[in-house]
């Protein structure tokens, strides 16, 4: 390729970039007008169903070669910056920075939101409940290690609603100051991360002691001051604390996802592909499990998940958590939930929100 041809290609790219910039500002001016129109109106500025519709439409109409995942990431940041023009979003998340919850929060809300780390799951709920944050993000389950019980327990007492879910693919790196695997004398991480890398550790570092800490990000922070140690954490944590990668992707199961919930004060409207979460306790009597499921089975409603937790105040009594396809505004879902209610000592709709594949 001649230098003249290369210059011509770059000139054409510059022209297109200028057009993109002009279009972004035209879009921003309309967003400002939308914000003015919303002033004084009831409802949230952040609408997950609207956001999902934008992604779905653009990816469906994308002719390529720009990748679909790139379309989603680019428009995630465009929407994030646009929301900051309407009303700056403050989002609490289970911290510290560079944890997988932080990564999931950035994936959902983009870089323009104000992301505030909290020390515990109850603290995230409290920030939102007290109106010190617009939304909160907490982990709820991992595909390998199961449910996060602290999150489920919070819904028993909280009036907050689930407004969205996030699925994040989890990949663990072994990080150290030198990046030398032979120099590792101990491995530090969150217990769940250690469990997800158990086979790799037994095969590659069989005699190295494992140390539990509160988060993968804290592990990276500690390792930054200890050249004999390695952390199992995200690449974002390694970047934040200046660590080198001793080994990429050491998780035993490459199909490793964590599901996070976004909590807020209001249930979003229907997106057309939704999920509803409820919690309830049932009377202890013969055939109750069958009657508990029958309102959904008879209407052909797909149940995505059933989880049970013992009641902390009563021995041998349980709270059930149920995820089902559909929105609570759908007549068939509303009727099924009301049918279930007659068998329950307690029932709460935790929220309806766009379903993520």
């Amino acid at each position: 390729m001649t230098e003249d041809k290369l210059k011509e290609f770059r000139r054409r790219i510059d022209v297109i970039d200028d057009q993109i910039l002009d279009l972004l500002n035209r879009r921003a001016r309309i967003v400002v007008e939308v914000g003015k129109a919303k002033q004084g109106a009831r409802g949230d500025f952040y609408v997950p169903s609207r956001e999902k519709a934008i992604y779905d439409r653009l990816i469906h109409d994308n002719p390529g070669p720009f990748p679909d995942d790139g379309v989603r990431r680019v428009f995630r940041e465009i929407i994030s910056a646009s929301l900051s023009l309407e009303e700056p979003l403050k989002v609490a998340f289970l911290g510290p920075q560079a944890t997988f919850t932080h990564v999931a929060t950035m994936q959902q809300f983009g870089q323009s939101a104000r992301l505030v780390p909290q020390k515990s799951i109850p603290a995230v709920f409290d920030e939102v409940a007290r109106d010190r944050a617009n939304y909160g993000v907490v982990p709820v389950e991992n595909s390998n290690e199961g449910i996060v019980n602290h999150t489920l327990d919070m819904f028993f007492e909280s009036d907050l609603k689930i407004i969205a879910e996030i699925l994040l693919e989890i990949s663990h790196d072994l990080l150290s100051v030198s990046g030398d695997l032979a120099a590792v004398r101990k491995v530090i991480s969150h217990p769940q991360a250690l469990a997800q890398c158990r086979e790799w550790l037994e095969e590659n570092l069989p005699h190295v002691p494992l140390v539990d800490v509160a988060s993968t990000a804290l592990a990276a922070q500690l390792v930054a001051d200890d050249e004999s140690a390695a952390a199992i954490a995200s690449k974002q944590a390694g970047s934040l604390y200046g660590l080198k990668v001793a080994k990429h992707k050491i998780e035993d199961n490459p199909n490793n996802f964590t599901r996070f919930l976004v909590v807020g004060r209001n249930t979003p409207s229907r997106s057309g592909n939704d999920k509803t979460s409820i919690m309830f306790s049932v009377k202890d009597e013969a055939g109750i499990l069958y009657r508990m499921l029958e309102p959904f089975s008879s209407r052909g409603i797909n149940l995505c998940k059933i989880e049970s937790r013992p009641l902390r105040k009563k021995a041998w009594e349980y709270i059930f958590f149920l995820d089902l396809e559909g929105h609570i505004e759908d007549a068939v879902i509303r009727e099924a939930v009301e049918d279930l209610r007659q068998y329950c000592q307690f029932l709460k709709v935790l929220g309806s929100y766009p379903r993520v594949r």
Side-chain angles (χ1 to χ4, degrees), residues 12 29 160 167 222 238:
R12 288 162 61 184
R29 284 190 285 271
L160 296 182
L167 285 182
L222 294 172

Side-chain angles (χ1 to χ4, degrees), residues 13-290:
I13 288 173
D14 287 345
V15 170
I16 293 170
D17 286 344
D18 289 342
Q19 292 171 345
I20 291 172
L21 180 61
D22 179 63
L23 289 170
L24 286 174
N25 281 294
R26 286 168 58 186
R27 186 186 196 278
R29 284 190 285 271
I30 295 173
V31 167
V32 170
E33 293 304 313
V34 170
K36 291 178 181 177
K38 285 181 178 178
Q39 286 177 359
R42 298 183 64 182
D44 291 331
F45 280 77
Y46 174 67
V47 183
S49 58
R50 167 63 178 156
E51 187 174 299
K52 181 179 182 297
I54 292 172
Y55 295 148
D56 290 349
R57 178 179 62 81
L58 291 171
I59 289 172
H60 178 269
D61 295 341
N62 179 30
F66 199 84
D68 288 347
D69 189 51
V71 171
R72 182 180 293 273
R73 288 199 302 270
V74 167
F75 276 87
R76 168 64 272 159
E77 293 306 323
I78 290 173
I79 292 170
S80 177
S82 298
L83 283 170
S84 71
L85 294 174
E86 291 188 56
E87 180 179 283
L89 285 180
K90 183 179 178 183
V91 184
F93 68 93
L94 178 63
Q97 289 184 327
T99 58
F100 288 109
T101 310
H102 186 207
V103 175
T105 307
M106 288 190 291
Q107 176 180 301
Q108 185 74 10
F109 290 96
Q111 302 286 344
S112 295
R114 183 183 171 199
L115 309 183
V116 185
Q118 303 297 319
K119 292 183 178 180
S120 67
I121 290 172
V124 174
F125 276 75
D126 192 55
E127 286 294 291
V128 182
R130 294 179 183 272
D131 208 16
R132 293 194 291 252
N134 300 96
Y135 304 102
V137 179
V138 289
V140 69
E141 64 177 319
N142 177 265
S143 58
N144 295 335
E145 297 301 314
I147 209 75
V148 180
N149 290 320
H150 290 313
T151 296
L152 295 186
D153 289 343
M154 284 304 303
F155 285 110
F156 188 76
E157 298 176 354
S158 175
D159 290 328
L160 296 182
K161 300 292 185 181
I162 304 170
I163 68 149
E165 63 178 352
I166 310 164
L167 285 182
L168 181 70
E169 186 172 10
I170 303 299
S171 181
H172 296 298
D173 288 348
L174 189 70
L175 307 167
S176 68
V177 172
S178 67
D180 182 7
L181 186 61
V184 176
R185 297 293 176 264
K186 63 181 174 182
V187 176
I188 306 173
S189 196
H190 186 275
Q192 208 171 62
L194 292 169
Q196 291 167 13
C197 303
R198 186 181 298 111
E199 292 179 14
W200 188 94
L201 291 168
E202 289 175 354
E203 182 175 344
N204 295 275
L205 297 170
H207 305 300
V208 172
L210 309 179
V211 180
D212 294 353
V213 292
S215 70
T216 55
L218 176 59
Q221 183 180 356
L222 294 172
V223 166
D225 297 322
D226 187 348
E227 294 187 2
S228 70
I232 297 175
S234 68
K235 62 181 180 181
Q236 289 86 355
S239 177
L240 180 64
Y241 294 106
L243 301 177
K244 296 180 181 178
V245 177
K247 190 69 177 180
H248 275 299
K249 294 183 176 293
I250 66 169
E251 62 274 8
D252 299 327
N253 184 351
N255 186 31
N256 185 11
F257 288 82
T258 293
R259 180 182 173 221
F260 300 85
L261 299 178
V262 181
V263 294
R265 288 178 288 277
N266 300 307
T267 295
S269 57
R270 285 180 283 194
S271 73
N273 183 17
D274 297 296
K275 182 186 288 186
T276 293
S277 297
I278 63 175
M279 67 183 297
F280 58 92
S281 64
V282 291
K283 305 165 187 174
D284 185 14
E285 56 187 49
I288 190 60
L289 290 179
Y290 169 80

Side-chain angles (χ1 to χ4, degrees), residues 296-338:
F296 305 102
S297 175
S298 64
R299 292 174 172 85
I301 298 170
N302 185 41
L303 303 183
C304 311
K305 189 173 188 65
I306 302 176
E307 198 74 38
S308 64
R309 290 277 292 138
L311 271 171
R312 287 176 292 181
K313 297 181 180 179
K314 292 185 179 180
W316 312 116
E317 291 195 16
Y318 292 83
I319 287 281
F320 291 89
F321 294 84
L322 193 66
D323 290 345
L324 53 100
E325 289 184 2
H327 195 284
I328 194 62
E329 293 176 359
D330 300 336
V332 67
I333 301 299
R334 187 170 60 252
E335 291 166 5
V337 170
E338 289 308 309

Side-chain angles (χ1 to χ4, degrees), residues 1-12:
M1 181 180 293
T2 67
E3 186 65 26
D4 287 343
K5 255 189 174 179
L6 189 58
K7 285 181 179 178
E8 173 59 18
F9 284 138
R10 287 172 175 166
R11 186 195 67 78
R12 288 162 61 184

